[in-house]
Amino acid sequence: MKDLHSLLPHSMAATNLNSASIFLLTFALLFMVMGHEASNSGQYPVVVSTWPFLEAVRAAWRVVDNGFSAVDAVVEGCSACEELRCDGTVGPGGSPDENGETTIDALVMDGVTMEVGAVAAMRYIKDGIKAARLVMQYTEHTLLVGEQAAAFAISMGLPGPTNLSSSESMDKWTKWKVNHCQPNFWKDVVPVDRCGPYHAKDFLGSSHGTCSKTTLMENIKSRSSHVGRHNHDTISMAVFDKMGNIAVGTSTNGATFKIPGR
């Protein structure tokens, strides 16, 4: 993998992409094993997606079935989900962050060259997966972030700047604020006001360095509350083309302190 180059403070969004990268690499390795069997039985092409995003799968299938590459198909499939705003957490108008702004994270990997391209916390550009592919094709970086990602995407011909918010995303943000900004992804902090700014408990003079079974179970319970069918925040897709080459990709709304849930 080429070296990581985060260009703005929004680089915290890379955390979500790191998790997505691990998932996709595992996904790819599993598919390579499965692909060996498929290559011997003439079962290519293959398209698989997380969750029942059928329109995205169909879009990818049309591309790969017509002889285009696995990368082409992944980009087309994830683009379809971005346009459809799958589950309200992918593409423009999807889940906002704590400031009420919708941003885009996306990643694509070419299984032939092992190249990766990604964008995170990208503002003003609706085509996340296409921007990620441009990063892979035309830069020596793996990840571009925030407004630098947007500037790059526009310079490469993608439309923008565009307001990525929608009436639905702003309504979700407003209801979240009314609910005292709960749930959220902060931990071990106390708010100055009901919605922050937040300070670490240690900063306010509480004991530190302590660990107990109760604390551990509370942390596990807190993390588990964010896991489930109705707060999964991405499409991930893997495609084998007719030549048996694999590509994987993912797209989601920016994950830096994004409001949890649908």
Side-chain angles (χ1 to χ4, degrees):
M1 182 180 291
K2 300 179 187 301
D3 66 343
L4 184 68
H5 189 71
S6 302
L7 298 174
L8 286 180
H10 290 297
S11 60
M12 290 179 68
T15 301
N16 187 63
L17 280 173
N18 288 338
S19 299
S21 300
I22 293 170
F23 170 77
L24 287 171
L25 289 171
T26 304
F27 205 18
L29 290 172
L30 175 62
F31 259 63
M32 287 175 183
V33 174
M34 294 171 61
H36 178 71
E37 297 296 326
S39 64
N40 294 329
S41 57
Q43 292 179 354
Y44 290 139
V46 177
V47 177
V48 176
S49 168
T50 51
W51 312 118
F53 299 146
L54 297 182
E55 291 304 317
V57 172
R58 289 177 181 131
W61 178 262
R62 286 192 293 269
V63 171
V64 74
D65 195 43
N66 282 323
F68 290 91
S69 73
V71 172
D72 292 329
V74 163
V75 170
E76 191 67 22
C78 289
S79 290
C81 234
E82 291 172 347
E83 293 173 9
L84 293 170
R85 200 188 300 166
C86 286
D87 275 354
T89 63
V90 180
S95 295
D97 60 23
E98 291 189 355
N99 295 319
E101 182 178 8
T102 296
T103 58
I104 304 291
D105 294 353
L107 176 149
V108 64
M109 178 178 181
D110 186 337
V112 176
T113 65
M114 302 304 289
E115 291 181 301
V116 177
V119 293
M122 184 171 67
R123 310 173 75 189
Y124 315 130
I125 304 297
K126 64 183 182 65
D127 300 303
I129 194 69
K130 291 179 181 177
R133 183 179 190 175
L134 290 170
V135 172
M136 181 177 72
Q137 288 180 314
Y138 296 111
T139 81
E140 292 294 324
H141 300 305
T142 297
L143 173 66
L144 297 182
V145 176
E147 293 185 13
Q148 290 284 357
F152 166 78
I154 291 172
S155 75
M156 299 304 293
L158 292 182
T162 301
N163 181 5
L164 300 183
S165 297
S166 65
S167 58
E168 292 84 359
S169 69
M170 295 309 297
D171 181 61
K172 180 177 181 178
W173 181 66
T174 299
K175 290 179 179 177
W176 178 78
K177 295 279 284 187
V178 170
N179 195 43
H180 304 284
C181 299
Q182 296 295 326
N184 61 50
F185 285 105
W186 293 90
K187 68 174 187 176
D188 296 328
V189 296
V190 291
V192 173
D193 197 358
R194 64 180 187 176
C195 288
Y198 299 91
H199 294 298
K201 290 180 179 178
D202 288 349
F203 179 78
L204 298 178
S206 63
S207 62
H208 55 85
T210 61
C211 181
S212 67
K213 183 177 180 180
T214 301
T215 301
L216 177 61
M217 294 307 297
E218 287 175 350
N219 287 337
I220 292 173
K221 182 178 180 180
S222 175
R223 289 177 178 271
S224 298
S225 68
H226 296 314
V227 178
R229 170 66 182 85
H230 295 291
N231 62 7
H232 193 276
D233 61 359
T234 183
I235 176 175
S236 293
M237 178 174 284
V239 176
F240 274 110
D241 60 27
K242 290 185 176 181
M243 299 298 294
N245 299 322
I246 188 174
V248 291
T250 185
S251 183
T252 183
N253 292 134
T256 305
F257 293 116
K258 183 171 68 173
I259 297 174
R262 293 284 182 255

